[in-house]
């Protein structure tokens, strides 16, 4: 399982990080729209992305796989953050500003905003799996412009920020909240549909 999951998860983290870089350098609506390249590449190549996987796991047996996907995504973000820190240092300041803004919001708001992102991502991937790419192209700018939090994108932003911000319990707890919020959002449709059938 590890060999089939971890390398594609690393590459997915790199793809999302590419979207983050263009968003950092461009900003606004243009940056949000161009970010969609990252998720489009993930879906086209069939890579393993946490927010593209969490909404489709089975109740039993898929937890180690999902953890492997998340770890691989973070490794991909780390590799890109190291490269960008060296080759494009102008990206560090806007990434730090995003990290500061997340910390200023706090864990609960970021958790709640991550639910919105997770719902959008699962919806976009569901459509893309049926060959309908428009939802994918719209979903990414929608979650960015809404200010929703994406745990893999934020992994890149956080890893690009100064080390004194990164290695803190506060940021770690906030990140865990985002991961949990994305998971809830990714499974929101299943939770609601199951409840409506009972």
């Amino acid at each position: 399982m590890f060999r089939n999951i971890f390398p594609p998860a690393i590459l997915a983290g790199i793809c999302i990080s590419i979207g983050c870089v263009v968003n950092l350098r461009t900003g606004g609506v243009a940056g949000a729209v161009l970010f969609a390249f990252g998720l489009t590449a993930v879906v086209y190549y069939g890579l393993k992305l946490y927010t593209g996987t969490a909404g489709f796991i089975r109740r039993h047996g898929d937890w180690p796989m999902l953890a492997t996907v998340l770890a691989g995504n973070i490794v991909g973000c780390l590799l890109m953050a190291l490269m960008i820190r060296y080759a494009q240092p102008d990206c560090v300041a806007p990434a730090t500003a995003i990290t500061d803004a997340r910390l200023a919001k706090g864990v609960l708001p970021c958790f709640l905003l991550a639910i919105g992102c997770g719902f959008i991502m699962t919806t976009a991937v569901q459509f893309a799996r049926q060959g309908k790419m428009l939802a994918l192209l719209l979903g990414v700018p929608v979650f960015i412009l809404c200010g929703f939090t994406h745990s893999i994108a934020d992994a890149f932003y956080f890893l690009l920020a100064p080390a004194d911000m990164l290695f803190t319990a506060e940021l770690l707890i906030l990140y865990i909240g985002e991961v949990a919020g994305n998971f809830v959002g990714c499974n929101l449709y299943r939770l609601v549909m199951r409840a409506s059938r009972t």
Side-chain angles (χ1 to χ4, degrees), residues 28 35 38 45 102 113 122 131 150 181 188:
F35 190 113
Y45 288 115
R102 298 286 195 258
L113 292 170
T122 294
H150 187 285
L188 190 60

Side-chain angles (χ1 to χ4, degrees), residues 34-107:
L34 293 172
F35 190 113
F37 169 83
L39 188 60
T40 303
V42 167
V43 172
Y44 180 80
Y45 288 115
L47 304 177
K48 298 296 183 181
L49 182 66
Y50 175 74
T51 51
T53 306
F56 301 96
I57 66 168
R58 298 166 298 176
R59 183 175 300 179
H60 304 290
D62 283 344
W63 297 105
M65 180 271 292
L66 188 61
T68 302
V69 169
L70 179 61
N73 290 167
I74 293 172
V75 170
C77 291
L78 174 61
L79 294 174
M80 278 294 291
L82 293 172
M83 185 189 80
I84 293 300
R85 181 183 294 278
Y86 174 76
Q88 294 279 48
D90 61 305
C91 289
V92 173
T96 302
I98 290 173
T99 305
D100 275 329
R102 298 286 195 258
L103 288 168
K105 279 187 181 298
V107 176

Side-chain angles (χ1 to χ4, degrees), residues 165-182:
M165 297 180 68
L166 176 61
F167 298 109
T168 62
E170 184 182 9
L171 190 62
L172 176 61
I173 293 169
L174 185 143
Y175 187 70
I176 292 171
E178 289 188 353
V179 170
N182 280 166

Side-chain angles (χ1 to χ4, degrees), residues 119 126 187-198:
F119 177 74
Q126 185 78 280
N187 288 278
L188 190 60
Y189 79 103
R190 294 203 288 193
L191 294 170
V192 171
M193 295 306 291
R194 186 181 302 127
S196 68
R197 288 195 294 266
T198 57

